Each structure stands twice: as C-alpha cells, then as structure tokens.
Amino acid sequence: MSEIRTANVQYTGAKGPIFNLSFQVAALTLITFGIYRFWGKTRIRKYIWSSTLVDGDRFEYTGTGLEKFLGFLIAVVFLAIYLGLIQIVLTFLGLSLLTEARSNEDIARQAIAINLSLLSVVPFLFFAIYRARRYRMARTRWRGIRFGMDKGAWGYVWRAIGHYLLTFVTLGALLPRMTFHLEKYMADRTWFGDERVTQSGKWTDLYGAMKHIFIGLGLILLGAALAVALGSEAPGGALGFVGYVWFMLGFLYYRVHSFGYLSSHKKLGERVAFSSSPQAGTVLRIYIVGGLLIGVVLAVFGGVAGIVAMGLTQAIMEGNPAAMGPLVPVLLAVSYIALILVLGAMVTALITQPVIAHYASTLQVHNVDALDAIRQRAADTGADAEGFADALDIGGAI
C-alpha cells in the first residue's frame, strides 16, 4: 500500500513587492477617478494567487479588469432601475423620499421609506456575496485545472435572510448555525475540475469557538449588575469596559477558529481531505503590529503637518502670508494624497497579506497525489463578474 502524502500550503509573497503594487494601483485609481480599481484589484489578486503554492505548484488567477468593469456597469444599471421602481412604489404608497417634510407625520413617512429602501437592497447584498465567490472560483486554476461553483445565488439569498433573522431574534445564540449552514451551502456547490467539495461537521461544534464571546458578554452583564448593586458606575464601568474589549476580541477568535474548523471538515471527492490550524493570537498580533506601524507613519506626518501649520499661522499673524511660499498649499495637498496612498498600501502589505499568508501556511492537503486523477471542467461564464459586489461597495476584499 502506498503512503498517503500530505502537502503543506506555502505563501511566498513579500511585503515590498505588494506594497509597491498596492501603491501603484491606488495612485492609478486616484488619477482615473476610480475606474482603474477593477484592473488594480485584478493585478493584486494575480500576485496573491501566484504566491500561493500547493505541492510546489502555484495557483493562477485568470480574471480580467475589463470583465469586472463591464459587470459593474451592468449591475449599476440594473440597481438603478430596480431602486427607481422601488421609489415609484413607495411614492404610490405616500412614502416618497423626495418630498420636503412639513410635519412629524411626514418625517415618520420618510423614515419608513428610508428603511424600506434599505431593506429592498438586502437580498442583493447576499446575492452579491455568492456571485462574487462564484466568480473568483471560476477564475482560479491550479495545475491548469479550473475551480468552479454551481449556480445558486438566490437559494443563498433566502437562506441567508432566514439565518440572519434567526440569529437576530436569538440575540446571537444561533450564530454558529448560520456560520456553518451558509458556508456549507456554498462549499457543497464548489468544484475542482470534475470533483465536488463537500462540507461535513456539525454546527454545534462551533460553540467552542464562541467561548470568548460568552466570557466578554458575562463580564459586561456582571459589570452592569455590580454598578446597580453598588450604586456607582466606577467599578462596574471598568469591568464592563474589559468585557466589551474581550467581547470584540472574541469575535476575532470566533472567525479564526470557525475558519479552521470548517476548512478541516471539507473534502474534495472521496479521497482528498484538508486540515487547518490558524491561531487567533497570530492574527491579532498581525493587526496590532501593523496598526502600530501605520500609527507611527500617521504620527510623523501629523507632526510635520503641525509644524508647517504653525509656520503658516505665524506668517499670517505677522501680516506676511506669502512668507511660506506659494507652493506650500500645493505641497500640503500632494502630501495628504500621498499619505492616503501610502496608508492603503501599508494596510495591504502589513495586515491583509500577512493574514492571508498565515491562513495559507496553516492549511494542509491530505492525499495530495489523488489530485492527479482530477480532470478538467467546462469553463463557467463570468456573468456579472462581481459587478453587484462592486456596485454595492462590498467588493473591496481581495
């Protein structure tokens, strides 16, 4: 019997190249008033995909900026017509957003109209999430074999709405159920070549990943009870603050460990399995170190800008506003724009890529030799190519 071989996923991307790439993309996006972002995101994805290896072979991203741009235009036109029809219906019901409020009743009607307009977009948010993932799968290859995903966006929409409502009415108690079943719906429709991915496991197993959320919530409630019992907010407030911080970090812990659990319970066909062991502490450290470095850059820029501002103020007070030179306002504006570009590139290089690298490096593929038997699948159409995700501003992620 031949030995079952396991392959570790590797990530070879470096901070310098992706910083330079992200800065270029941000600058070109600014110059083109946002149009280049479709091509820019494609370039960044190509870099990240090609930096990820399994068993020595790199992933390939085959999407194009043009199809993303065209998909965005199609989505914008559709949403404009859809929201226009919604507004017509609201106007017919006397709930127009465009009329001037003259009484409290008019204000109430406008508030109802605003909420109904927002709710009408919710199905397309979930639609965009599914279609964006399907597009990324369709444009990903490994060893020349395509990934793919079955149609099923509207099925995901209704399930997502139902799960979110259940999670809301149970005050978050059914969050693991929502996490598991929504991921299972998408995973079970994913393919690599002619082999299907399946998601196994139990949603109740995810409650272990919620332990820090429960601890944080308990500290918040304990702090509130202490404040009521003592008639003073000081000790209870301090405990409540600690609980709030613990509660928020608990969500990070939940996301990291639920990803590991779900990844470790996926299979490709009957022979290929996966295991994943990302560490919440490592992810948190990446955010803290990256945030501190970004904070240093902001502090230095703020200090320099403060000195320049003081000089300008002094020159104006002395009746000599031209003393600082006519180019100073231009230089300040250029410096501010450059800062925004640098910060965006730093976020990608210091936070986004290291987090991706950590998730990738803790993933293993078991029985990797079975992948040799997988055959090519037919190409999927690009459809809206993440157009709805971009149009609804939820397509910023890599």
Side-chain angles (χ1 to χ4, degrees):
M1 177 179 287
S2 60
E3 181 182 357
I4 295 179
R5 194 164 61 90
T6 294
N8 294 317
V9 179
Q10 296 175 288
Y11 187 83
T12 61
K15 292 182 175 65
I18 201 167
F19 176 86
N20 294 333
L21 176 59
S22 299
F23 186 85
Q24 294 172 21
V25 166
L28 290 171
T29 300
L30 178 66
I31 294 171
T32 59
F33 301 99
I35 295 178
Y36 187 76
R37 69 189 177 105
F38 305 102
W39 284 264
K41 186 186 295 185
T42 298
R43 290 178 61 190
I44 293 175
R45 283 182 180 174
K46 286 180 181 292
Y47 177 84
I48 292 176
W49 264 240
S50 65
S51 298
T52 308
L53 298 84
V54 174
D55 201 29
D57 292 304
R58 299 180 183 274
F59 284 86
E60 179 186 4
Y61 181 74
T62 62
T64 67
L66 179 60
E67 63 184 5
K68 283 179 62 60
F69 177 62
L70 295 177
F72 169 77
L73 294 179
I74 293 172
V76 166
V77 171
F78 177 87
L79 288 172
I81 296 174
Y82 171 74
L83 293 175
L85 292 174
I86 293 295
Q87 183 56 44
I88 291 173
V89 173
L90 292 176
T91 302
F92 178 78
L93 297 175
L95 299 173
S96 177
L97 293 169
L98 305 177
T99 58
E100 181 181 355
R102 299 179 181 275
S103 65
N104 290 334
E105 291 183 357
D106 290 340
I107 295 175
R109 290 193 187 97
Q110 286 192 347
I112 293 173
I114 291 172
N115 287 310
L116 289 177
S117 297
L118 293 175
L119 288 174
S120 69
V121 178
V122 168
F124 287 99
L125 293 174
F126 296 124
F127 179 87
I129 290 171
Y130 188 92
R131 290 298 288 264
R133 180 157 162 175
R134 183 171 179 242
Y135 172 75
R136 290 193 296 271
M137 289 292 102
R139 295 298 179 264
T140 299
R141 295 185 184 185
W142 184 71
R143 290 181 176 175
I145 304 295
R146 302 184 189 93
F147 285 80
M149 198 167 173
D150 294 335
K151 296 179 179 179
W154 286 114
Y156 180 82
V157 168
W158 308 128
R159 286 167 175 80
I161 291 175
H163 280 296
Y164 270 89
L165 288 174
L166 277 175
T167 302
F168 177 76
V169 299
T170 59
L171 302 179
L174 291 182
L175 175 61
R177 189 177 192 275
M178 178 180 73
T179 302
F180 179 84
H181 284 290
L182 290 184
E183 174 60 25
K184 179 174 173 59
Y185 182 85
M186 290 195 284
D188 288 350
R189 286 159 179 77
T190 302
W191 295 76
F192 175 59
D194 58 358
E195 287 284 7
R196 182 190 291 272
V197 175
T198 55
Q199 177 71 64
S200 61
K202 297 185 294 183
W203 67 270
T204 51
D205 291 342
L206 292 179
Y207 275 112
M210 289 189 70
K211 61 183 179 182
H212 290 291
I213 294 178
F214 293 138
I215 292 173
L217 183 60
L219 290 175
I220 292 173
L221 295 175
L222 182 59
L226 190 62
V228 172
L230 297 179
S232 172
E233 295 183 0
L239 190 59
F241 176 76
V242 172
Y244 174 77
V245 174
W246 202 309
F247 182 78
M248 298 307 295
L249 293 177
F251 275 103
L252 173 64
Y253 183 91
Y254 175 77
R255 289 183 60 184
V256 173
H257 283 267
S258 62
F259 175 88
Y261 176 86
L262 292 168
S263 298
S264 299
H265 286 79
K266 284 183 172 66
K267 290 189 68 176
L268 179 61
E270 295 296 327
R271 302 172 60 193
V272 181
F274 306 89
S275 61
S276 176
S277 55
Q279 300 299 311
T282 301
V283 175
L284 178 60
R285 184 167 62 251
I286 291 170
Y287 277 103
I288 291 175
V289 173
L292 288 175
L293 292 174
I294 292 171
V296 169
V297 172
L298 276 173
V300 171
F301 178 84
V304 174
I307 293 172
V308 173
M310 289 175 61
L312 283 173
T313 302
Q314 184 177 358
I316 293 173
M317 292 179 64
E318 293 175 353
N320 186 22
M324 296 293 291
L327 294 179
V328 171
V330 176
L331 290 175
L332 286 175
V334 171
S335 299
Y336 177 76
I337 293 172
L339 175 68
I340 299 300
L341 299 180
V342 168
L343 292 179
M346 288 184 70
V347 169
T348 302
L350 299 177
I351 297 178
T352 304
Q353 179 175 252
V355 169
I356 292 173
H358 176 65
Y359 277 108
S361 63
T362 58
L363 182 65
Q364 292 183 316
V365 182
H366 304 287
N367 196 16
V368 68
D369 292 327
L371 296 172
D372 296 336
I374 294 177
R375 296 295 175 259
Q376 185 66 285
R377 64 178 279 106
D380 294 331
T381 59
D384 55 76
E386 291 183 310
F388 283 95
D390 287 310
L392 293 171
D393 199 25
I394 60 171
I398 302 300

